[in-house]
Amino acid sequence: MAVLTPLIFPLSISVVVFAAAAVLTQKHVSALTRHDFPDGFVFGAGTSAYQVEGAAAEDGRKPCIWDTFTHKGYSPDGSTADVSADQYHHYKEDVKLMHNMGLDAYRFSIAWPRLIPDGRGQTNPKGLEYYNNLIDELILHGIQPHVTIYHFDLPQVLQDEYGGLLSPRFIEDYTAYAGVCFESFGDRVKHWVTVNEPNIEPIGGYDTGSQPPRRCSYPFGTNCKGGNSSTEPYIAAHHLLLAHASAVSLYREKYKETQGGQIGVTLLGWWHEPATNTAQDAAAAMRMNEFHIGWFMHPLVYGDYPPVMRRRVGDRLPALTAQESEKVHGSFDFIGFNHYLIMRVRSIDTDSSQNPVDYYGDAAVQWRGGDCSMVSEETAGAPETELREPSGVDPRKRCRCRCRYPERGRVRRRRGQSRVPAGLRGSPLPLHTSSSDDSSHILLCGEWCCRNGSDARGYFVWSFLDVFEYLFGYRLRFGLCGVDMSAQARTRYVRNSARWYSGFLHGGELRPVARSKKSDVE
């Protein structure tokens, strides 16, 4: 029987990937409180600008690539985020909800096209005012602002001008934008994320073409106007990596000493397990973890891409110069993982002479059951559809993803869970969602890892509010607090999962909500 070994690295920090700790007894579940976590462990919730703010054409904001994408009808349900939860006009109400819930921190992003509408140059005074007001309101209520600088919302003008992430000019413009953020907000913001999930944006945008800017090539994507699925994902990721390193370098050289903050990056943290007990599938799972997580973690820690990627991708994988390698190496104070799913993968045969080949062909894997990153129209409309992890995976493996992180690594996590009744479109969700039960397992896992030596520093629930979801539009909702998307006032309401989380944050014992057993997403 083949055994899958987690990523093992020669440094001493263990980095936790969230997962359900199903083997723990109910006694342990009922006994855990927030005091079982280390001093300073941060509990929060998050959103992102495009997904939550609304006010898409107000106060000087200009379109981003997601505005263009959704306005052309490409979102899963044909919706846009023009209004969404309208946090732009409701931020004070939302901060009060966070305060009442007991959140330590709120993770949000700054909208590049709101702060610098033309992508470079003049700062928008109204955008500056909004983010200053939001940050001040959070601090007034004792809530830490954790700010993501770039969360997929590239200004459309830069996409039109030079192809966005495909051009090295993106690095320069992004760094200048990050500098405006540090200069304007760094006296109060002490936790910066440079880029959100740079290990997945190049896939949807430049391999499958399922997300903006919809670039792909046959046979890996459909209906794309241009692109090359064999090369462009690696080019886009390369420029995101260099942009991240450039922003970190700027912060450390110019702002860190006086502002005293920390800066890192957040990766998508899907974990891959073999679909069968064969040695081939076990190797495929390890390989996919390197392609997915190691794609960024290896250069951040060692200064170059993983050897398996170098070997399999060849000269289609951009090279890091000696100067770039030096700048990328060690360019983080912490790493964030957004964890949602355990993916089961199968090994596929690939001919070394096969042409063309894309990212998944290079990794030589296939997800069991097809593409689990998307929920089909039929599934999304089914009664109580929910996005859940597959069962049967040893929770210790989920907790012991030992990655090559040095001692300074600080890991923050985000987890979302959702369900939606049949036929829902815009109306409020029921008060009960599955997230309280899932969060209980994940918090148990996090506590277990802290107790066993991992330098875990925080947990952020996705999401604080119902928002426009990139993969689902409004078909699935993840909010601790619901939003009536059919009401002009975007009425907020507190779900049971928010009450559960609040009880835990105010010192209560961790008691999961019982739920019926559902089939796995695999």
Side-chain angles (χ1 to χ4, degrees):
M1 177 177 177
V3 177
L4 174 66
T5 303
L7 293 172
I8 306 296
F9 298 86
L11 299 172
S12 58
I13 286 298
S14 301
V15 177
V16 184
V17 177
F18 285 148
V23 296
L24 298 174
T25 67
Q26 184 64 32
K27 179 179 179 180
H28 291 135
V29 171
S30 64
L32 188 68
T33 72
R34 70 172 298 165
H35 302 296
D36 293 297
F37 290 81
D39 291 342
F41 192 94
V42 174
F43 291 95
T47 63
S48 84
Y50 177 76
Q51 294 176 272
V52 76
E53 283 181 2
E58 293 185 37
D59 292 340
R61 182 189 181 277
K62 291 187 177 180
C64 72
I65 57 175
W66 272 92
D67 292 301
T68 302
F69 179 81
T70 58
H71 278 243
K72 290 183 177 180
Y74 292 126
S75 65
D77 59 353
S79 63
T80 75
D82 287 0
V83 180
S84 188
D86 199 22
Q87 188 168 80
Y88 189 79
H89 296 109
H90 294 269
Y91 72 90
K92 289 189 176 183
E93 175 187 353
D94 291 341
V95 172
K96 288 179 182 178
L97 285 171
M98 297 176 207
H99 177 72
N100 293 338
M101 197 182 299
L103 297 186
D104 299 326
Y106 177 47
R107 183 189 171 204
F108 63 97
S109 72
I110 291 171
W112 190 344
R114 190 181 300 282
L115 189 63
I116 307 177
D118 292 321
R120 72 170 75 87
Q122 186 173 355
T123 302
N124 176 17
K126 286 291 187 179
L128 195 65
E129 178 184 10
Y130 170 70
Y131 292 113
N132 274 320
N133 288 342
L134 173 59
I135 291 166
D136 289 345
E137 193 73 13
L138 289 167
I139 292 172
L140 179 65
H141 286 80
I143 299 169
Q144 301 173 17
H146 288 232
V147 174
T148 299
I149 299 171
Y150 174 69
H151 195 124
F152 304 160
D153 51 354
L154 180 74
Q156 182 64 46
V157 64
L158 300 185
Q159 180 65 38
D160 295 338
E161 182 181 342
Y162 55 68
L165 302 184
L166 293 179
S167 171
R169 294 174 61 185
F170 165 79
I171 303 166
E172 180 181 354
D173 286 339
Y174 168 81
T175 304
Y177 158 57
V180 172
C181 294
F182 300 146
E183 186 74 32
S184 302
F185 313 120
D187 58 328
R188 290 151 292 160
V189 174
K190 306 304 176 185
H191 304 87
W192 294 99
V193 170
T194 55
V195 180
N196 181 75
E197 297 182 351
N199 57 334
I200 198 64
E201 183 178 15
I203 307 304
Y206 297 90
D207 186 346
T208 65
S210 60
Q211 296 181 347
R214 296 188 65 249
R215 292 184 63 82
C216 63
S217 57
Y218 180 83
F220 309 110
T222 58
N223 299 321
C224 291
K225 293 183 177 179
N228 186 327
S229 298
S230 297
T231 59
E232 290 188 358
Y234 299 112
I235 296 169
H238 188 69
H239 291 153
L240 284 168
L241 176 66
L242 294 179
H244 154 80
S246 179
V248 172
S249 179
L250 174 65
Y251 185 75
R252 288 176 172 174
E253 291 173 3
K254 188 174 180 180
Y255 298 101
K256 186 176 179 68
E257 184 176 353
T258 56
Q259 295 182 355
Q262 295 182 333
I263 189 166
V265 65
T266 292
L267 303 178
L268 181 62
W270 287 343
W271 186 247
H272 298 86
E273 293 279 349
T276 71
N277 290 330
T278 65
Q280 291 83 356
D281 284 359
M286 294 175 64
R287 191 166 58 246
M288 193 62 226
N289 284 327
E290 287 282 9
F291 265 73
H292 180 57
I293 297 174
W295 194 4
F296 279 79
M297 280 311 306
H298 202 279
L300 289 174
V301 174
Y302 292 118
D304 198 4
Y305 293 111
V308 68
M309 293 188 72
R310 281 270 171 234
R311 187 168 60 251
R312 298 186 69 89
V313 182
D315 59 9
R316 289 180 290 113
L317 186 64
L320 288 161
T321 67
Q323 183 179 8
E324 289 169 343
S325 176
E326 183 179 3
K327 182 175 283 191
V328 167
H329 176 231
S331 59
F332 63 96
D333 298 320
F334 62 83
I335 299 293
F337 277 107
N338 294 344
H339 175 64
Y340 300 96
L341 292 171
I342 305 293
M343 308 299 294
R344 296 187 185 275
V345 297
R346 300 181 187 274
S347 179
I348 58 174
D349 293 329
T350 55
D351 186 339
S352 60
S353 63
Q354 179 181 342
N355 188 36
V357 65
D358 74 337
Y359 170 82
Y360 290 108
D362 287 327
V365 302
Q366 181 180 52
W367 290 347
R368 177 176 171 184
D371 186 352
C372 291
S373 68
M374 300 295 291
V375 171
S376 68
E377 185 173 350
E378 293 79 9
T379 303
E384 293 192 324
T385 295
E386 53 183 329
L387 192 61
R388 296 180 58 193
E389 289 185 348
S391 60
V393 179
D394 182 354
R396 294 178 181 83
K397 284 183 182 175
R398 303 184 192 182
C399 289
R400 293 198 309 252
C401 170
R402 293 186 176 272
C403 296
R404 310 174 186 183
Y405 304 158
E407 286 289 351
R408 67 179 176 276
R410 283 139 171 88
V411 182
R412 296 183 295 162
R413 304 170 183 76
R414 182 173 78 167
R415 172 61 188 266
Q417 204 71 270
S418 173
R419 62 171 56 168
V420 56
L424 175 71
R425 179 64 183 270
S427 57
L429 284 175
L431 290 178
H432 170 71
T433 72
S434 61
S435 60
S436 54
D437 190 30
D438 294 297
S439 292
S440 69
H441 292 302
I442 294 160
L443 289 171
L444 279 164
C445 188
E447 189 273 339
W448 183 90
C449 292
C450 289
R451 187 159 33 86
N452 283 273
S454 293
D455 189 9
R457 296 298 178 95
Y459 168 68
F460 289 75
V461 176
W462 183 266
S463 54
F464 170 65
L465 292 173
D466 286 343
V467 300
F468 173 89
E469 290 292 340
Y470 288 118
L471 293 183
F472 312 116
Y474 299 106
R475 287 177 177 170
L476 294 185
R477 312 288 182 83
F478 293 76
L480 290 167
C481 295
V483 178
D484 185 351
M485 298 293 182
S486 65
Q488 185 174 357
R490 292 303 194 263
T491 308
R492 277 79 164 128
Y493 56 97
V494 178
R495 290 202 176 99
N496 285 345
S497 52
R499 294 187 177 94
W500 177 93
Y501 194 32
S502 179
F504 173 77
L505 295 179
H506 285 97
E509 293 182 344
L510 193 155
R511 297 178 183 275
V513 176
R515 70 179 183 195
S516 60
K517 188 174 182 180
K518 300 288 183 181
S519 61
D520 296 335
V521 174
E522 294 187 336

